[in-house]
Amino acid sequence: MKNVAVIGAGTMGNGIAHTFAQSGFKVNLIDISEASLKRGMDTISKNLDRMVAKEKITEAQKEETLGNISTFTSITDGVKDTSLVVEAATENVDLKLNIFKQLDEACPKDTILATNTSSISITQIAAVTSRPEQVIGMHFMNPVPIMKLVEIIRGYNTSDDVTNTIMELSKTLGKVPVEVNDYPGFVANRILMPMINESIETLYNGVAGVTEIDTVMKLGMAHPMGPLQLADFIGLDVCLSILNVMYDGFKNPKYAPCPLLVNMVQAGKLGVKSGEGFYDYSESRKAETVAKQFA
C-alpha cells in the first residue's frame, strides 16, 4: 500500500497528507478548489520548514515529502489508482455520505475507504457504499504530524482484515493506533466534549472567568492547555457539531450543548480560525488575551 488519497486540504487533511508523504507514501490530495489546495500545500511547506529549522528533518527530506504529494480537484482522477482513501472533509454528515457514494463508484474494488470523522457513525457512512466491510474510521489528532494517537473505529461490518491492515499501517506512520467500536463520539470526544461543554457551562453560570477556568485545569489537572483554549483551537463550530451528534445519538441531556456555545457559533465566534472565541486572536494565535465579552 503505497498510493493514498486524502479528501480535503484543510487543517486535518493537509496534516494527514503531510504525515503519509513524509513516511514515503505517494499522496493525492483532493479538494474542490485550487485555492484550497494551494493553502493546504503552503501549510505543509511551512510545517516542514519548521521541522528543518528544528533539525528534525533535512532540506532534502522536506523536498522529498513535498514531491510525494500531487493535487487534484477531481475525486475521480485523484482516487483511480489508490489503495487507501482517507476522507477529511468538514464534519457534516450529508457531505460525508455524498463523498463516500462518489468514492465507492470511483475507487478500485479493493480500495479501503477511511474517514477521519471525529464523531459520525462509521456504520452510517459505510451503509451508502457497496463495500461496508472496507469502510473504517481513522481519527487522527490535531496537529496530525505531531500527535501520536489514531483512533481506529470499526463499523458494524468492518472486516478483521481491514482493521488489522489499518492498525499496522498506522504504526508505519509512527502513530499509536487504538481500536474502538462505533458509538457516537467514539472514545476521545465522548470524554473530551462533555468536559469542554461543562467548562463552557461553568463560565455561562458565572462560577469563574475564562482564565480562571483554564488555569484550574492546567495547574490542577496537568492539562497542557485549558478546556476553553482547547475549544478555541478545535473550533467552536466543530465542538458544537460533535456535541449535537452525541446528543442525537444517545438522546441523553448530558450531551446537550451549552446555550453559550450555540450563541457563539451563531455569532461567528469560532475560536482561532475566526480570530475570536473565548480568547482574542487578533494580534496573536496564542491564547493570551481574553475576548472582550468575557473580560
Side-chain angles (χ1 to χ4, degrees):
M1 186 181 289
K2 280 296 177 184
N3 296 320
V4 175
V6 177
I7 310 292
T11 300
M12 296 305 294
N14 71 58
I16 294 167
H18 171 163
T19 300
F20 272 102
Q22 193 175 330
S23 298
F25 291 82
K26 296 296 184 184
V27 181
N28 291 347
L29 181 59
I30 306 166
D31 209 306
I32 56 174
S33 75
E34 291 288 356
S36 297
L37 290 167
K38 184 180 184 305
R39 283 194 298 271
M41 291 302 298
D42 286 346
T43 298
I44 294 170
S45 184
K46 288 175 185 174
N47 288 338
L48 288 168
D49 283 338
R50 276 194 282 269
M51 296 179 78
V52 172
K54 293 177 181 178
E55 298 184 345
K56 292 186 175 181
I57 62 172
T58 65
E59 186 68 32
Q61 287 172 315
K62 171 199 166 182
E63 294 303 324
E64 183 180 354
T65 298
L66 291 173
N68 282 336
I69 305 174
S70 302
T71 59
F72 295 82
T73 54
S74 163
I75 285 180
T76 301
D77 292 340
V79 304
K80 61 184 178 183
D81 296 317
T82 55
S83 303
L84 169 69
V85 179
V86 182
E87 171 273 319
T90 304
E91 194 74 351
N92 177 289
V93 64
D94 292 331
L95 174 63
K96 289 186 186 293
L97 295 182
N98 182 52
I99 288 172
F100 271 79
K101 288 176 186 176
Q102 294 180 62
L103 292 176
D104 191 42
E105 293 176 2
C107 291
K109 290 299 179 189
D110 59 349
T111 301
I112 295 173
L113 306 181
T115 173
N116 182 59
T117 181
S118 54
S119 60
I120 297 168
S121 167
I122 309 303
T123 304
Q124 182 182 8
I125 291 171
V128 302
T129 75
S130 62
R131 60 181 95 186
E133 71 285 351
Q134 292 167 232
V135 178
I136 194 165
M138 287 186 81
H139 180 208
F140 291 85
M141 304 293 131
N142 184 28
V144 180
I146 296 171
M147 299 291 279
K148 290 290 187 182
L149 176 67
V150 185
E151 272 189 308
I152 307 299
I153 306 105
R154 294 184 67 136
Y156 190 81
N157 292 304
T158 307
S159 72
D160 290 340
D161 284 346
V162 166
T163 302
N164 293 334
T165 296
I166 297 303
M167 291 285 286
E168 291 305 312
L169 174 67
S170 299
K171 293 175 186 176
T172 70
L173 299 175
K175 303 301 185 186
V176 178
V178 176
E179 182 182 337
V180 305
N181 290 319
D182 186 21
Y183 291 93
F186 316 133
V187 171
N189 282 317
R190 184 168 179 172
I191 295 169
L192 174 63
M193 285 303 154
M195 183 192 75
I196 286 176
N197 197 44
E198 194 63 31
S199 302
I200 300 171
E201 285 277 2
T202 302
L203 177 66
Y204 180 57
N205 292 330
V207 179
V210 170
T211 304
E212 290 75 13
I213 291 167
D214 278 353
T215 299
V216 166
M217 297 306 290
K218 285 190 288 186
L219 299 186
M221 312 304 164
H223 290 195
M225 68 173 71
L228 299 176
Q229 180 187 357
L230 180 56
D232 277 355
F233 178 71
I234 293 168
L236 301 191
D237 53 336
V238 176
C239 294
L240 178 59
S241 175
I242 295 169
L243 284 164
N244 281 331
V245 167
M246 293 198 295
Y247 183 58
D248 291 343
F250 291 116
K251 301 296 188 289
N252 189 323
K254 75 177 180 179
Y255 299 115
C258 176
L260 174 58
L261 174 61
V262 175
N263 282 345
M264 290 179 71
V265 172
Q266 289 177 340
K269 309 295 187 183
L270 308 181
V272 176
K273 62 186 169 186
S274 72
E276 184 180 338
F278 295 105
Y279 294 87
D280 185 332
Y281 302 95
S282 57
E283 295 185 7
S284 170
R285 289 177 64 86
K286 296 180 181 179
E288 297 172 330
T289 305
V290 173
K292 189 182 236 181
Q293 75 177 100
F294 303 118

mmCIF file of all heavy atoms in Angstrom, residues 191-204 227-228 231 239-240 243 253-262:
data_model
loop_
_atom_site.group_PDB
_atom_site.id
_atom_site.type_symbol
_atom_site.label_atom_id
_atom_site.label_comp_id
_atom_site.label_asym_id
_atom_site.label_seq_id
_atom_site.Cartn_x
_atom_site.Cartn_y
_atom_site.Cartn_z
ATOM 1 N N ILE A 191 -15.408 11.601 25.816
ATOM 2 C CA ILE A 191 -14.898 12.061 27.104
ATOM 3 C C ILE A 191 -14.536 13.542 27.060
ATOM 4 O O ILE A 191 -14.842 14.306 27.971
ATOM 5 C CB ILE A 191 -13.671 11.217 27.522
ATOM 6 C CG1 ILE A 191 -14.111 9.759 27.757
ATOM 7 C CG2 ILE A 191 -12.991 11.791 28.764
ATOM 8 C CD1 ILE A 191 -12.977 8.786 27.922
ATOM 9 N N LEU A 192 -13.898 13.968 25.965
ATOM 10 C CA LEU A 192 -13.404 15.344 25.867
ATOM 11 C C LEU A 192 -14.532 16.373 25.749
ATOM 12 O O LEU A 192 -14.511 17.406 26.435
ATOM 13 C CB LEU A 192 -12.468 15.476 24.660
ATOM 14 C CG LEU A 192 -11.978 16.890 24.345
ATOM 15 C CD1 LEU A 192 -11.144 17.449 25.497
ATOM 16 C CD2 LEU A 192 -11.184 16.909 23.038
ATOM 17 N N MET A 193 -15.503 16.123 24.852
ATOM 18 C CA MET A 193 -16.509 17.155 24.583
ATOM 19 C C MET A 193 -17.410 17.474 25.779
ATOM 20 O O MET A 193 -17.718 18.643 26.015
ATOM 21 C CB MET A 193 -17.332 16.782 23.352
ATOM 22 C CG MET A 193 -16.577 16.976 22.057
ATOM 23 S SD MET A 193 -15.993 18.684 21.868
ATOM 24 C CE MET A 193 -14.580 18.440 20.816
ATOM 25 N N PRO A 194 -17.842 16.484 26.576
ATOM 26 C CA PRO A 194 -18.589 16.853 27.788
ATOM 27 C C PRO A 194 -17.756 17.699 28.751
ATOM 28 O O PRO A 194 -18.295 18.577 29.430
ATOM 29 C CB PRO A 194 -18.954 15.494 28.399
ATOM 30 C CG PRO A 194 -19.022 14.577 27.215
ATOM 31 C CD PRO A 194 -17.910 15.035 26.324
ATOM 32 N N MET A 195 -16.435 17.449 28.800
ATOM 33 C CA MET A 195 -15.583 18.275 29.657
ATOM 34 C C MET A 195 -15.537 19.717 29.151
ATOM 35 O O MET A 195 -15.673 20.669 29.931
ATOM 36 C CB MET A 195 -14.165 17.711 29.714
ATOM 37 C CG MET A 195 -13.258 18.494 30.659
ATOM 38 S SD MET A 195 -11.504 18.083 30.519
ATOM 39 C CE MET A 195 -11.090 18.931 28.984
ATOM 40 N N ILE A 196 -15.355 19.874 27.838
ATOM 41 C CA ILE A 196 -15.353 21.219 27.255
ATOM 42 C C ILE A 196 -16.707 21.883 27.466
ATOM 43 O O ILE A 196 -16.790 23.056 27.855
ATOM 44 C CB ILE A 196 -14.993 21.152 25.755
ATOM 45 C CG1 ILE A 196 -13.500 20.871 25.586
ATOM 46 C CG2 ILE A 196 -15.391 22.440 25.034
ATOM 47 C CD1 ILE A 196 -13.047 20.695 24.155
ATOM 48 N N ASN A 197 -17.785 21.144 27.235
ATOM 49 C CA ASN A 197 -19.130 21.695 27.396
ATOM 50 C C ASN A 197 -19.378 22.127 28.843
ATOM 51 O O ASN A 197 -19.967 23.185 29.100
ATOM 52 C CB ASN A 197 -20.168 20.655 26.971
ATOM 53 C CG ASN A 197 -21.530 21.248 26.705
ATOM 54 O OD1 ASN A 197 -21.648 22.291 26.053
ATOM 55 N ND2 ASN A 197 -22.573 20.596 27.196
ATOM 56 N N GLU A 198 -18.909 21.320 29.791
ATOM 57 C CA GLU A 198 -19.084 21.659 31.214
ATOM 58 C C GLU A 198 -18.262 22.885 31.585
ATOM 59 O O GLU A 198 -18.675 23.702 32.424
ATOM 60 C CB GLU A 198 -18.698 20.470 32.095
ATOM 61 C CG GLU A 198 -19.155 20.597 33.542
ATOM 62 C CD GLU A 198 -20.678 20.647 33.682
ATOM 63 O OE1 GLU A 198 -21.398 20.036 32.857
ATOM 64 O OE2 GLU A 198 -21.155 21.319 34.629
ATOM 65 N N SER A 199 -17.106 23.039 30.935
ATOM 66 C CA SER A 199 -16.288 24.235 31.159
ATOM 67 C C SER A 199 -17.019 25.481 30.677
ATOM 68 O O SER A 199 -16.987 26.533 31.326
ATOM 69 C CB SER A 199 -14.948 24.099 30.425
ATOM 70 O OG SER A 199 -14.255 22.959 30.856
ATOM 71 N N ILE A 200 -17.681 25.353 29.527
ATOM 72 C CA ILE A 200 -18.464 26.478 28.996
ATOM 73 C C ILE A 200 -19.658 26.767 29.899
ATOM 74 O O ILE A 200 -19.995 27.925 30.161
ATOM 75 C CB ILE A 200 -18.910 26.185 27.547
ATOM 76 C CG1 ILE A 200 -17.682 25.979 26.646
ATOM 77 C CG2 ILE A 200 -19.771 27.329 27.001
ATOM 78 C CD1 ILE A 200 -18.009 25.472 25.251
ATOM 79 N N GLU A 201 -20.300 25.721 30.417
ATOM 80 C CA GLU A 201 -21.407 25.891 31.371
ATOM 81 C C GLU A 201 -20.918 26.609 32.633
ATOM 82 O O GLU A 201 -21.620 27.464 33.178
ATOM 83 C CB GLU A 201 -21.981 24.518 31.762
ATOM 84 C CG GLU A 201 -22.833 23.853 30.707
ATOM 85 C CD GLU A 201 -24.269 24.349 30.699
ATOM 86 O OE1 GLU A 201 -24.605 25.249 31.500
ATOM 87 O OE2 GLU A 201 -25.060 23.840 29.876
ATOM 88 N N THR A 202 -19.715 26.255 33.073
ATOM 89 C CA THR A 202 -19.150 26.881 34.271
ATOM 90 C C THR A 202 -18.952 28.379 34.053
ATOM 91 O O THR A 202 -19.237 29.198 34.934
ATOM 92 C CB THR A 202 -17.813 26.199 34.637
ATOM 93 O OG1 THR A 202 -18.054 24.797 34.833
ATOM 94 C CG2 THR A 202 -17.222 26.777 35.907
ATOM 95 N N LEU A 203 -18.490 28.739 32.866
ATOM 96 C CA LEU A 203 -18.352 30.151 32.504
ATOM 97 C C LEU A 203 -19.725 30.806 32.387
ATOM 98 O O LEU A 203 -19.958 31.904 32.915
ATOM 99 C CB LEU A 203 -17.586 30.264 31.181
ATOM 100 C CG LEU A 203 -17.412 31.673 30.598
ATOM 101 C CD1 LEU A 203 -16.531 32.533 31.501
ATOM 102 C CD2 LEU A 203 -16.828 31.590 29.187
ATOM 103 N N TYR A 204 -20.651 30.133 31.715
ATOM 104 C CA TYR A 204 -22.009 30.632 31.463
ATOM 105 C C TYR A 204 -22.749 30.913 32.772
ATOM 106 O O TYR A 204 -23.488 31.896 32.891
ATOM 107 C CB TYR A 204 -22.743 29.573 30.640
ATOM 108 C CG TYR A 204 -24.169 29.863 30.261
ATOM 109 C CD1 TYR A 204 -24.540 31.005 29.553
ATOM 110 C CD2 TYR A 204 -25.176 28.942 30.573
ATOM 111 C CE1 TYR A 204 -25.850 31.238 29.179
ATOM 112 C CE2 TYR A 204 -26.487 29.158 30.198
ATOM 113 C CZ TYR A 204 -26.829 30.303 29.504
ATOM 114 O OH TYR A 204 -28.130 30.515 29.124
ATOM 115 N N PRO A 227 -9.450 23.882 28.891
ATOM 116 C CA PRO A 227 -10.519 23.412 28.016
ATOM 117 C C PRO A 227 -11.123 24.497 27.128
ATOM 118 O O PRO A 227 -11.545 24.206 26.011
ATOM 119 C CB PRO A 227 -11.562 22.841 28.980
ATOM 120 C CG PRO A 227 -11.255 23.477 30.309
ATOM 121 C CD PRO A 227 -9.785 23.691 30.316
ATOM 122 N N LEU A 228 -11.146 25.742 27.603
ATOM 123 C CA LEU A 228 -11.691 26.816 26.770
ATOM 124 C C LEU A 228 -10.710 27.182 25.659
ATOM 125 O O LEU A 228 -11.107 27.429 24.518
ATOM 126 C CB LEU A 228 -12.034 28.033 27.633
ATOM 127 C CG LEU A 228 -13.091 27.761 28.712
ATOM 128 C CD1 LEU A 228 -13.301 28.994 29.584
ATOM 129 C CD2 LEU A 228 -14.417 27.319 28.089
ATOM 130 N N ALA A 231 -10.995 24.405 23.169
ATOM 131 C CA ALA A 231 -12.208 24.559 22.351
ATOM 132 C C ALA A 231 -11.970 25.555 21.225
ATOM 133 O O ALA A 231 -12.369 25.318 20.072
ATOM 134 C CB ALA A 231 -13.375 25.012 23.225
ATOM 135 N N CYS A 239 -16.861 21.724 17.860
ATOM 136 C CA CYS A 239 -17.312 21.243 19.176
ATOM 137 C C CYS A 239 -18.828 21.114 19.209
ATOM 138 O O CYS A 239 -19.375 20.101 19.694
ATOM 139 C CB CYS A 239 -16.855 22.194 20.284
ATOM 140 S SG CYS A 239 -15.070 22.270 20.524
ATOM 141 N N LEU A 240 -19.519 22.122 18.689
ATOM 142 C CA LEU A 240 -20.981 22.094 18.668
ATOM 143 C C LEU A 240 -21.498 20.936 17.817
ATOM 144 O O LEU A 240 -22.426 20.221 18.216
ATOM 145 C CB LEU A 240 -21.523 23.425 18.134
ATOM 146 C CG LEU A 240 -23.051 23.543 18.005
ATOM 147 C CD1 LEU A 240 -23.732 23.342 19.358
ATOM 148 C CD2 LEU A 240 -23.425 24.894 17.401
ATOM 149 N N LEU A 243 -21.002 17.622 19.724
ATOM 150 C CA LEU A 243 -21.985 17.501 20.810
ATOM 151 C C LEU A 243 -23.372 17.186 20.271
ATOM 152 O O LEU A 243 -24.100 16.363 20.847
ATOM 153 C CB LEU A 243 -22.008 18.790 21.633
ATOM 154 C CG LEU A 243 -20.837 18.981 22.597
ATOM 155 C CD1 LEU A 243 -20.735 20.425 23.052
ATOM 156 C CD2 LEU A 243 -20.969 18.041 23.805
ATOM 157 N N PRO A 253 -29.535 14.068 27.899
ATOM 158 C CA PRO A 253 -29.366 15.518 28.059
ATOM 159 C C PRO A 253 -27.975 15.936 28.499
ATOM 160 O O PRO A 253 -27.608 17.106 28.362
ATOM 161 C CB PRO A 253 -30.413 15.888 29.119
ATOM 162 C CG PRO A 253 -30.782 14.610 29.788
ATOM 163 C CD PRO A 253 -30.611 13.541 28.769
ATOM 164 N N LYS A 254 -27.167 15.019 29.032
ATOM 165 C CA LYS A 254 -25.823 15.418 29.468
ATOM 166 C C LYS A 254 -24.950 15.833 28.284
ATOM 167 O O LYS A 254 -23.919 16.475 28.470
ATOM 168 C CB LYS A 254 -25.150 14.307 30.271
ATOM 169 C CG LYS A 254 -24.629 13.124 29.476
ATOM 170 C CD LYS A 254 -23.927 12.139 30.405
ATOM 171 C CE LYS A 254 -23.388 10.939 29.645
ATOM 172 N NZ LYS A 254 -22.682 9.996 30.540
ATOM 173 N N TYR A 255 -25.348 15.473 27.058
ATOM 174 C CA TYR A 255 -24.582 15.857 25.873
ATOM 175 C C TYR A 255 -25.149 17.103 25.184
ATOM 176 O O TYR A 255 -24.625 17.532 24.163
ATOM 177 C CB TYR A 255 -24.535 14.705 24.872
ATOM 178 C CG TYR A 255 -23.862 13.458 25.405
ATOM 179 C CD1 TYR A 255 -24.580 12.277 25.592
ATOM 180 C CD2 TYR A 255 -22.516 13.460 25.736
ATOM 181 C CE1 TYR A 255 -23.973 11.134 26.088
ATOM 182 C CE2 TYR A 255 -21.892 12.328 26.235
ATOM 183 C CZ TYR A 255 -22.624 11.164 26.409
ATOM 184 O OH TYR A 255 -22.015 10.041 26.913
ATOM 185 N N ALA A 256 -26.218 17.673 25.734
ATOM 186 C CA ALA A 256 -26.821 18.859 25.118
ATOM 187 C C ALA A 256 -25.855 20.036 25.199
ATOM 188 O O ALA A 256 -25.341 20.364 26.268
ATOM 189 C CB ALA A 256 -28.126 19.212 25.828
ATOM 190 N N PRO A 257 -25.568 20.700 24.075
ATOM 191 C CA PRO A 257 -24.602 21.805 24.095
ATOM 192 C C PRO A 257 -25.086 22.991 24.903
ATOM 193 O O PRO A 257 -26.280 23.314 24.915
ATOM 194 C CB PRO A 257 -24.439 22.169 22.613
ATOM 195 C CG PRO A 257 -25.644 21.613 21.928
ATOM 196 C CD PRO A 257 -26.076 20.422 22.723
ATOM 197 N N CYS A 258 -24.169 23.645 25.588
ATOM 198 C CA CYS A 258 -24.468 24.834 26.381
ATOM 199 C C CYS A 258 -25.008 25.939 25.478
ATOM 200 O O CYS A 258 -24.489 26.162 24.379
ATOM 201 C CB CYS A 258 -23.192 25.300 27.086
ATOM 202 S SG CYS A 258 -23.383 26.827 28.026
ATOM 203 N N PRO A 259 -26.035 26.677 25.921
ATOM 204 C CA PRO A 259 -26.573 27.787 25.111
ATOM 205 C C PRO A 259 -25.516 28.822 24.730
ATOM 206 O O PRO A 259 -25.588 29.419 23.662
ATOM 207 C CB PRO A 259 -27.649 28.400 26.020
ATOM 208 C CG PRO A 259 -28.076 27.276 26.906
ATOM 209 C CD PRO A 259 -26.842 26.452 27.138
ATOM 210 N N LEU A 260 -24.528 29.037 25.605
ATOM 211 C CA LEU A 260 -23.469 29.986 25.280
ATOM 212 C C LEU A 260 -22.679 29.520 24.056
ATOM 213 O O LEU A 260 -22.349 30.323 23.175
ATOM 214 C CB LEU A 260 -22.532 30.162 26.483
ATOM 215 C CG LEU A 260 -21.284 31.035 26.250
ATOM 216 C CD1 LEU A 260 -21.665 32.444 25.802
ATOM 217 C CD2 LEU A 260 -20.427 31.074 27.510
ATOM 218 N N LEU A 261 -22.380 28.233 23.992
ATOM 219 C CA LEU A 261 -21.670 27.686 22.835
ATOM 220 C C LEU A 261 -22.491 27.873 21.565
ATOM 221 O O LEU A 261 -21.969 28.293 20.529
ATOM 222 C CB LEU A 261 -21.366 26.201 23.061
ATOM 223 C CG LEU A 261 -20.750 25.443 21.877
ATOM 224 C CD1 LEU A 261 -19.399 26.043 21.487
ATOM 225 C CD2 LEU A 261 -20.595 23.965 22.217
ATOM 226 N N VAL A 262 -23.774 27.576 21.644
ATOM 227 C CA VAL A 262 -24.659 27.730 20.480
ATOM 228 C C VAL A 262 -24.656 29.182 20.003
ATOM 229 O O VAL A 262 -24.516 29.462 18.807
ATOM 230 C CB VAL A 262 -26.093 27.278 20.829
ATOM 231 C CG1 VAL A 262 -27.049 27.558 19.663
ATOM 232 C CG2 VAL A 262 -26.117 25.794 21.182
#
